[in-house]
Amino acid sequence: MANDVATDATQAATDARPDRRQRFESVRNMVLSMIALCAAVLALFVLNPDEAPENAVRSMEYDVASATAARAAPYDLLSPEGLSDRWRATSVRYDAQGEFGATWRLGFLDPDDEYAALTQADGDAVRFVAEVTRGAEDTGDVERIDGRDWARYEGSKYDALVLREPDVTTVVMGTAPWDRLMHLANALEVRADRT
């Protein structure tokens, strides 16, 4: 009887321990499962191009925000009119009590996905321009756009067009080429919602 118990214990230990073949099949199954899972994820990525990294920047509407800001701003708030739908607004913000006074900002990606932005403020013009252009310097050149003289600034980060008026400073700047910055500046119109 003792022999039968010892034999049963040995058999149970042998059954509990997987042999080499079972372990190999287990690893093989795990690897095949991972390959199938990776193939499924890749297929979803390829078949869903709207989720591709180049479209990671979300476009937004700015009409309501600019209308609201125009009612609050102590100056004539500008907003672009007539830009093609290839100009995508990516950021919009109005701060009534910003570091440079009442500040309006509107950022875009141009048709070639270069950054271009409009920003206005009624505070210290020199500090404001230096801050938003990241230290761009006045070239002394002037661009005549829609009957107004815009100073041309060049910098290592952004180039800019700057319009200084008695109650507000307007800056159009970005990494976009000059013709796109001028196109944006030319599209600016006073938002009529101001009360």
Side-chain angles (χ1 to χ4, degrees):
M1 177 104 175
N3 258 351
D4 288 338
V5 172
T7 303
D8 288 342
T10 304
Q11 184 64 38
T14 303
D15 289 344
R17 206 176 14 165
D19 66 1
R20 253 187 194 176
R21 181 181 166 108
Q22 285 176 321
R23 281 184 281 171
F24 175 75
E25 286 179 5
S26 178
V27 170
R28 186 175 136 255
N29 288 342
M30 185 174 59
V31 169
L32 290 175
S33 295
M34 287 298 294
I35 290 172
L37 181 62
C38 289
V41 169
L42 181 62
L44 282 173
F45 181 75
V46 169
L47 296 175
N48 202 357
D50 287 341
E51 299 299 321
E54 61 267 13
N55 292 331
V57 176
R58 289 181 50 201
S59 296
M60 57 180 46
E61 293 296 322
Y62 59 90
D63 284 340
V64 173
S66 63
T68 303
R71 285 190 289 276
Y75 49 79
D76 287 338
L77 187 125
L78 299 177
S79 183
E81 295 291 331
L83 291 178
S84 77
D85 59 359
R86 294 183 62 209
W87 284 78
R88 295 180 295 145
T90 57
S91 64
V92 59
R93 184 176 68 211
Y94 176 75
D95 186 354
Q97 297 177 345
E99 180 181 356
F100 303 104
T103 307
W104 165 241
R105 298 173 193 262
L106 182 56
F108 290 91
L109 288 180
D110 78 357
D112 293 324
D113 288 335
E114 290 290 339
Y115 176 66
L118 156 70
T119 185
Q120 292 182 279
D122 63 352
D124 182 338
V126 173
R127 286 183 48 241
F128 171 65
V129 171
E131 177 72 22
V132 298
T133 65
R134 302 291 195 262
E137 295 185 8
D138 191 343
T139 65
D141 294 332
V142 173
E143 296 290 343
R144 186 97 174 143
I145 301 171
D146 197 24
R148 295 183 281 194
D149 290 332
W150 294 71
R152 191 168 169 155
Y153 281 63
E154 291 182 1
S156 59
K157 177 120 176 129
Y158 299 131
D159 291 330
L161 296 165
V162 177
L163 178 64
R164 289 189 181 160
E165 297 176 298
D167 61 341
V168 64
T169 301
T170 303
V171 180
V172 172
M173 87 296 184
T175 60
W178 285 110
D179 63 324
R180 293 285 168 77
L181 294 178
M182 287 188 280
H183 181 75
L184 178 57
N186 193 51
L188 297 178
E189 293 186 12
V190 174
R191 187 67 197 218
D193 302 292
R194 187 168 178 213
T195 56

